[in-house]
Amino acid sequence: VQGGARLQGDYAVPRLADIDIHMHRGEEVDLTVTGSVDNIFTGEGADLHMVGQSSHPQVASWMLFGTVSAISALSIDGHLQEQQGVYRVRDLNAEVKTSDGLEMKASGDGQLYPARHRFSDADEGIDLDLSAPNTDALNLYQVEAIPSLGPVTGRARLIVSRDAIALYKTDLSIGKGSATSVRLQGQLGQVPLHDVKAMSDINLKVDIKTTDLAALARIFDFQIDHDQTAPGHVVTHLTGEGSNINLGQTDISIGSKDGAIIRASGKADNVVVTDTSISANARFDVSASASDLSQFSEFVGVDLPKLGAVAGNANLVVKGTRLTLDQMRINIGAPDQPTIRLDGEVVSELHKG
């Protein structure tokens, strides 16, 4: 470390002016800090300009993610200012790379809000652009609920307080070019730094497309009783908190390569998923159709006979863990004279796995 500054003021309120400090360690660290601090004991009146880079930022990595190896490279150019107890970052341009391949670029102006601050869209935040080879690289806090999917690109506005963060104007694309692609748009309005699972104020539009529904289900620890692939598409709107999610208008379609299709449309409240169970309050209108019953063989994993066209509909109702298909009507065969007609309801228990 090399540098200097002018010490002014008195013992009670010492001021540092004309700060010019250069920190250097081989090719690993090169950082220059210039500016002034009105009170070096409290940090009041800080006006510092930081420019530098590090190829092995162990301290920053440990402070942010609890491990010295998470960040592999860091560069920064920005101003840190304190005014009336409020810290702000101005004209920031920074880039972070992790050992797992995540790359993040941060730019703009931001503010450090006090603990327990409730974030809003009007708050100052830093613009983030990010890319990663997969969602595992994005999962820096090792949250088990985040599934392992394909490459990630996107942007968001990061707002920070002393004990939480928020992501507003989020637009993430996951799995482009893979069997399953996901797009997330919206906000994670309150994410505690020391308990990510307790996130709240979630408001996300979700669009999921897959060419292999069974494989996607296994990622989320659900089993479909056959190994055949089937395409699927889900559009929904998530709100609520990490432990209790609501699904706004949700549209689901599942197809088969032979032409059969199942559609569901509805809403769900109080969706609670634990390690062993799942519960909700939901209602969906469900319909199914195919030019022949045998086209549903892919869904059920057995060879069904050719008995003609299929048309069916039902109400899917979930109350807690009780799942009911009521007002079910299924016609198999010619529309005017079906070979088989089924009417009634099916009751089951909702469970995970």
Side-chain angles (χ1 to χ4, degrees):
V1 178
Q2 295 178 327
R6 289 191 301 115
L7 180 63
Q8 300 174 332
D10 54 35
Y11 291 112
V13 187
R15 181 177 190 273
L16 281 182
D18 300 330
I19 298 171
D20 189 349
I21 299 174
H22 184 208
M23 290 175 279
H24 182 77
R25 186 177 72 234
E27 297 182 355
E28 291 186 354
V29 178
D30 189 354
L31 177 65
T32 299
V33 179
T34 58
S36 61
V37 180
D38 289 344
N39 187 332
I40 62 175
F41 291 148
T42 64
E44 292 178 64
D47 187 359
L48 300 172
H49 182 204
M50 293 176 285
V51 180
Q53 61 80 32
S54 174
S55 61
H56 195 190
Q58 295 182 355
V59 175
S61 181
W62 181 81
M63 290 178 63
L64 290 172
F65 307 115
T67 172
V68 297
S69 60
I71 300 177
S72 61
L74 170 67
S75 65
I76 187 171
D77 184 349
H79 295 264
L80 176 64
Q81 300 174 338
E82 188 279 341
Q83 294 178 336
Q84 297 180 342
V86 177
Y87 283 92
R88 289 183 170 89
V89 175
R90 298 296 187 208
D91 303 321
L92 176 67
N93 281 288
E95 185 171 352
V96 176
K97 297 181 180 179
T98 73
S99 54
D100 291 328
L102 171 63
E103 296 186 10
M104 288 189 294
K105 294 181 180 179
S107 60
D109 302 334
Q111 177 176 331
L112 177 63
Y113 290 92
R116 296 181 295 280
H117 175 76
R118 298 301 300 181
F119 297 113
S120 76
D121 190 43
D123 290 340
E124 282 190 298
I126 299 297
D127 293 326
L128 294 180
D129 285 276
L130 61 90
S131 64
N134 50 55
T135 52
D136 292 334
L138 195 66
N139 193 7
L140 295 170
Y141 289 100
Q142 301 300 308
V143 180
E144 294 180 1
I146 296 179
S148 179
L149 295 171
V152 181
T153 58
R155 60 179 56 90
R157 182 155 58 89
L158 173 67
I159 307 173
V160 181
S161 73
R162 294 183 182 274
D163 61 356
I165 65 170
L167 293 172
Y168 278 78
K169 297 182 179 178
T170 301
D171 190 346
L172 288 183
S173 294
I174 304 170
K176 186 176 181 180
S178 304
T180 297
S181 63
V182 181
R183 188 173 185 187
L184 305 175
Q185 295 174 289
Q187 71 184 47
L188 297 175
Q190 204 80 25
V191 184
L193 290 175
H194 303 294
D195 188 7
V196 177
K197 293 181 180 179
M199 70 176 69
S200 59
D201 195 15
I202 298 169
N203 191 335
L204 287 175
K205 294 179 180 178
V206 181
D207 191 317
I208 303 173
K209 296 177 182 177
T210 184
T211 59
D212 189 345
L213 186 65
L216 177 62
R218 287 193 293 271
I219 291 174
F220 290 93
D221 292 330
F222 290 92
Q223 297 298 320
I224 295 179
D225 294 334
H226 61 92
D227 295 325
Q228 300 297 318
T229 60
H233 188 195
V234 178
V235 178
T236 189
H237 187 179
L238 298 181
T239 59
E241 57 191 34
S243 59
N244 193 320
I245 291 291
N246 302 316
L247 302 182
Q249 181 57 42
T250 301
D251 296 299
I252 303 169
S253 63
I254 303 170
S256 74
K257 63 179 182 293
D258 294 324
I261 189 165
I262 300 173
R263 291 187 174 93
S265 180
K267 299 180 180 181
D269 296 325
N270 306 121
V271 181
V272 178
V273 180
T274 69
D275 292 338
T276 58
S277 67
I278 178 171
S279 64
N281 293 316
R283 183 180 181 86
F284 285 83
D285 296 325
V286 181
S287 65
S289 62
S291 58
D292 191 87
L293 178 64
S294 61
Q295 295 175 1
F296 281 100
S297 299
E298 185 175 330
F299 290 110
V300 298
V302 298
D303 292 330
L304 295 174
K306 293 183 178 182
L307 295 176
V310 177
N313 56 75
N315 295 327
L316 187 153
V317 179
V318 178
K319 293 184 178 180
T321 61
R322 181 184 174 89
L323 185 151
T324 304
L325 278 171
D326 63 17
Q327 300 183 35
M328 185 171 62
R329 295 180 178 87
I330 301 174
N331 291 333
I332 303 172
D336 55 344
Q337 283 188 321
T339 305
I340 300 174
R341 175 175 289 162
L342 303 174
D343 295 282
E345 70 176 25
V346 176
V347 179
S348 181
E349 287 293 314
L350 198 62
H351 63 90
K352 188 175 181 181

